[in-house]
Amino acid sequence: MFIQPGELLAQINSPADLKKFSKDSLVQICDELRQFIIDNVSVYGGHFSASLGVVELTVALHYVLNTPEDQLVWDVGHQAYGHKILTGRRENFHTNRLYGGLSGFPKRKESIYDTFGVGHSSTSISAALGMAVASQYKGLEAKQHVAVIGDGSMTGGMAFEAMNHAGVSDTNLLIILNDNCMAIDPNVGALKDYLTDITTSKTYNKAKDEIWKILGKLSKFGTSAQDVISKVEGGIKSALLNQSNLFESLNLRYFGPVDGHDVNHLAEILKDLKDIPGPKILHCVTMKGKGYAPAEKGNQTTWHAPGTFDKVTGEIYKSTPSTPQAPKYQDVFGHTLVELAELDDRIMGVTPAMPSGSSMNIMMKAMPDRAFDVGIAEQHAVTFSAGLATQGLVPFCNIYSTFMQRAYDQVLHDVCLQNLPVVFCLDRAGFAGADGPTHHGAYDIAFFRCIPNLVVSAPMNEEELRNMMYSASIHNGPYSIRYPRGKGVMPDWKTPFDKIPLGQGRIVKEGEEIAILTIGHIGNYAVDACGKLAKEGVHPAHYDMRFVKPLDEELLHEIFGKFKKVITVEDGCLMGGFGSAVIEWMMDHGYQAQVKRLGIPDEVVEHGEQIELHRACGFDPEGIAATVRSMAAVVKTT
């Protein structure tokens, strides 16, 4: 389905085309850009309300800046759809997040206008500051460097580290704080309260407008006038807010808050800020989902990425299956955690800004004093959990696999070296799907299995997830459980708790000649493959290993004593992963066998549906079956 752009938007294939229009046309361009995003996402899906909220800011930035020469860095990238459309990707925008199509995030190899790849939050200020320092070193004093960061991303420690550096850098850096009080879920913490104080202070905002007018006049008369007004402005801000300004204390010139939906005013402000030297921050107040009533008034977490929907009625399309369906792994986690917490008052829940995505919100609602959203702060989430554990509690710290990469040192230094009983639940392990390589959970098996004291496990189904969570809660040490995005395989999943002995795998199917060893949910693909092969007279054995560390040595002795051909299957990286662990064990114990490892190769795998990516990497059901045939020297007959 071809989405027809509006009259003016149809003429814009680059920021240079945008600059050809008068300022009087900017409001209409914003309206057409917002409608184009609504039309596309309603039909093809994708992230939604974040980009709607920055339409005016996006247009103003590309209207005023000389992109791509000026460097514009978006934080996370959920908000960058308008940016992509204005920078030559409008006609291909319908392929956004589809296999082989445009990435859902800014990506350097996709466009010269994407100055930095952004999928994880809180990176934009550091990247833009690096660019600004490089320009300063090269003598490019007129070059602009702008980081657009949401108030949710601002809670990440890396953002504060970057601002602390920027304040003493004297570089040409503008930080734009897109303040909408939302990340994916509502923002939490003291920073949110601080920004709310600023944006709701009527006295401050009235005085701020007067300060802006004076500053705009005096800044034209040189640095001495700028120094004077800077001191006056800072003093008035502090007095009116009854506290020192957080950003000014970091030596960042603070401007705002301003209306983030007044495109002409934004363009004027951005033009003025280009002439003011040094690091500075512009505080823009926006509304996530702006311009689409259901997103403005409804559940903003739902409208972050709603899937396809009826743009007229706002009805989100959901299929109604005729048979009972298996639940999502994340929901099994959420409900099981509450069950366990009801049985054990030591259990706590922790998540860094993903309560709905991880289903920690179930415990937060049922036991608000025992479940914590700590904001986009993975490092803090892990060490906070470690602190809880020192006092005899058992925290379940739920972090997406890809975001756990950001807290690796804390896992090692603060939890595992002290052998503290923190349970790490890694959601979105394996391929994350349409979010692509920035969100794939490909590496956790490899980077976790080398850490002392840490158990590394993965359930093949919902029952095993529940039992692993129960087993972890009574294990006196660090324990990690990984599981994928999406549904499991058991409609009747609420089974009684049963302890799984540490490091114990299980045999799923007896067989001959070839043994398939799987870890985690991907073992269900092996079940499908074995079913197909049985019809061809091929009968491999299948083992669900359940643990990468410790490995089930008794079971491995049985396997390598019986089979000379072994296939390992994992939805993680092959380099240092589960298959590597099996081969290392085999070599250490003097066995010889032909081993074929299936998993994620040592390359960047792009975005697409999970099954598309599994197929491309050769470990979908047919890929497993084909490997068995190849090793058994059996040619498939049709």
Side-chain angles (χ1 to χ4, degrees):
M1 177 180 177
F2 179 72
I3 305 297
Q4 186 69 42
E7 177 187 1
L8 302 186
L9 185 61
Q11 303 174 52
I12 301 173
N13 294 304
S14 70
D17 293 334
L18 173 63
K19 295 177 191 295
K20 295 175 184 177
F21 290 93
S22 69
K23 286 182 65 176
D24 294 339
S25 300
L26 294 185
V27 172
Q28 182 179 339
I29 291 171
C30 288
D31 291 342
E32 292 182 7
L33 178 58
R34 178 171 278 112
Q35 190 59 51
F36 190 73
I37 293 172
I38 293 170
D39 288 346
N40 270 275
V41 178
S42 67
V43 173
Y44 297 107
H47 293 106
F48 185 60
S49 53
S51 285
L52 291 187
V54 293
V55 163
E56 287 79 12
L57 180 59
T58 303
V59 170
L61 282 166
H62 280 296
Y63 193 72
V64 172
L65 295 176
N66 181 31
T67 55
E69 176 64 21
D70 289 337
Q71 301 289 283
L72 176 57
V73 183
W74 297 92
D75 205 280
V76 181
H78 294 147
Q79 54 190 341
Y81 283 11
H83 160 79
K84 290 200 169 201
I85 293 164
L86 293 177
T87 54
R89 288 165 278 184
R90 186 190 69 248
E91 291 189 1
N92 291 326
F93 190 69
H94 64 282
T95 69
N96 182 53
R97 292 168 55 86
L98 299 178
Y99 188 60
L102 295 177
S103 169
F105 301 93
K107 195 169 190 176
R108 281 175 57 83
K109 72 177 184 179
E110 186 177 287
S111 171
I112 193 173
Y113 293 95
D114 293 355
T115 61
F116 203 74
V118 286
H120 295 183
S121 78
S122 314
T123 62
S124 59
I125 303 175
S126 296
L129 177 60
M131 296 170 186
V133 169
S135 294
Q136 188 180 57
Y137 174 72
K138 294 178 178 180
L140 304 174
E141 302 297 336
K143 193 169 184 177
Q144 303 294 311
H145 312 85
V146 180
V148 183
I149 183 169
D151 52 321
S153 294
M154 193 67 91
T155 65
M158 190 174 173
F160 286 91
E161 294 170 21
M163 287 191 291
N164 184 55
H165 183 188
V168 297
S169 68
D170 194 32
T171 53
N172 194 7
L173 172 69
L174 171 62
I175 301 165
I176 296 180
L177 173 57
N178 172 32
D179 180 5
N180 59 26
C181 292
M182 287 288 293
I184 294 176
D185 292 281
N187 290 330
V188 296
L191 179 63
K192 179 208 69 171
D193 294 338
Y194 174 77
L195 295 176
T196 300
D197 285 345
I198 293 178
T199 56
T200 57
S201 171
K202 294 181 181 179
T203 305
Y204 169 68
N205 280 282
K206 181 178 179 181
K208 174 265 302 178
D209 291 337
E210 295 304 316
I211 292 169
W212 183 264
K213 292 177 183 177
I214 296 171
L215 177 62
K217 294 176 182 177
L218 292 187
S219 65
K220 296 179 175 62
F221 295 96
T223 58
S224 60
Q226 291 169 5
D227 291 341
V228 171
I229 196 61
S230 175
K231 294 176 182 177
V232 174
E233 178 193 13
I236 293 175
K237 287 175 182 175
S238 297
L240 289 173
L241 284 174
N242 248 344
Q243 55 187 312
S244 61
N245 184 285
L246 169 65
F247 304 108
E248 297 276 355
S249 69
L250 292 171
N251 203 30
L252 297 171
R253 293 285 303 282
Y254 172 86
F255 302 96
V258 299
D259 181 357
H261 297 301
D262 185 339
V263 64
N264 286 300
H265 188 212
L266 283 173
E268 292 174 4
I269 292 172
L270 291 170
K271 185 177 180 181
D272 285 345
L273 288 178
K274 286 177 65 175
D275 298 326
I276 299 175
K280 46 201 172 285
I281 185 164
L282 175 63
H283 182 182
C284 295
V285 180
T286 63
M287 175 182 288
K288 200 170 181 181
K290 176 70 174 179
Y292 187 67
E296 288 183 10
K297 300 173 184 177
N299 184 325
Q300 292 204 340
T301 300
T302 298
W303 286 99
H304 173 74
T308 59
F309 59 93
D310 186 318
K311 71 172 185 178
V312 177
T313 65
E315 177 189 359
I316 297 174
Y317 298 132
K318 294 187 181 295
S319 59
T320 304
S322 58
T323 59
Q325 298 292 299
K328 294 180 179 179
Y329 276 103
Q330 69 181 61
D331 292 335
V332 174
F333 161 82
H335 289 291
T336 300
L337 185 60
V338 171
E339 286 183 61
L340 290 171
E342 289 172 343
L343 297 172
D344 186 343
D345 60 9
R346 300 175 306 147
I347 289 176
M348 311 290 278
V350 179
T351 188
M354 298 303 296
S356 61
S358 70
S359 293
M360 184 69 76
N361 57 355
I362 298 172
M363 186 177 184
M364 290 173 69
K365 182 178 179 180
M367 302 175 176
D369 61 330
R370 296 172 62 183
F372 303 90
D373 174 4
V374 300
I376 301 179
E378 293 85 2
Q379 292 173 303
H380 167 62
V382 171
T383 304
F384 172 65
S385 298
L388 292 173
T390 66
Q391 303 305 302
L393 301 179
V394 180
F396 277 70
C397 182
N398 189 304
I399 302 180
Y400 287 10
S401 170
T402 185
F403 300 139
M404 183 57 83
Q405 296 161 191
R406 315 185 87 185
Y408 188 68
D409 180 60
Q410 285 67 33
V411 173
L412 173 59
H413 181 271
D414 299 337
V415 176
C416 294
L417 291 187
Q418 303 183 84
N419 202 26
L420 293 171
V422 176
V423 183
F424 297 112
C425 292
L426 275 57
D427 200 334
R428 270 57 169 187
F431 285 132
D435 282 337
T438 59
H439 283 59
H440 293 333
Y443 311 106
D444 58 90
I445 293 176
F447 67 59
F448 264 8
R449 78 178 186 89
C450 62
I451 299 179
N453 294 325
L454 181 59
V455 175
V456 180
S457 68
M460 184 170 152
N461 53 42
E462 297 90 322
E463 180 180 25
E464 287 192 349
L465 173 57
R466 286 170 59 79
N467 289 337
M468 284 178 179
M469 290 176 65
Y470 170 67
S471 302
S473 72
I474 57 177
H475 174 74
N476 191 27
Y479 202 116
S480 72
I481 308 169
R482 75 185 311 259
Y483 48 89
R485 176 185 182 183
K487 293 181 179 180
V489 294
M490 296 177 61
D492 296 322
W493 59 273
K494 201 167 185 180
T495 55
F497 293 124
D498 187 18
K499 181 182 177 182
I500 299 177
L502 186 63
Q504 185 180 92
R506 67 185 179 102
I507 184 164
V508 179
K509 175 183 173 294
E510 297 279 3
E512 54 193 31
E513 190 178 358
I514 296 175
I516 304 173
L517 280 57
T518 63
I519 186 73
H521 174 81
I522 212 71
N524 294 289
Y525 280 5
V527 172
D528 291 347
C530 288
K532 293 180 180 179
L533 291 166
K535 297 176 182 178
E536 304 169 18
V538 181
H539 301 282
H542 177 204
Y543 296 85
D544 169 25
M545 296 303 293
R546 298 199 290 204
F547 293 89
V548 180
K549 183 183 179 182
L551 287 166
D552 188 335
E553 297 200 33
E554 183 179 343
L555 193 58
L556 287 174
H557 279 297
E558 176 186 320
I559 292 167
F560 282 98
K562 181 179 179 181
F563 298 95
K564 295 301 180 184
K565 297 179 180 179
V566 174
I567 300 170
T568 65
V569 188
E570 60 196 294
D571 55 347
C573 64
L574 288 172
M575 298 286 284
F578 166 64
S580 294
V582 171
I583 291 177
E584 290 166 14
W585 185 94
M586 179 187 73
M587 297 299 294
D588 288 344
H589 290 82
Y591 288 103
Q592 290 187 342
Q594 179 187 356
V595 180
K596 174 67 175 178
R597 296 176 301 145
L598 301 181
I600 299 175
D602 185 27
E603 61 187 54
V604 175
V605 179
E606 300 297 345
H607 60 281
E609 293 299 319
Q610 286 167 301
I611 186 61
E612 293 176 317
L613 303 182
H614 295 157
R615 185 180 301 120
C617 293
F619 59 91
D620 64 319
E622 180 51 40
I624 296 172
T627 303
V628 171
R629 294 188 196 103
S630 174
M631 293 185 75
V634 173
V635 179
K636 179 182 177 183
T637 58
T638 57

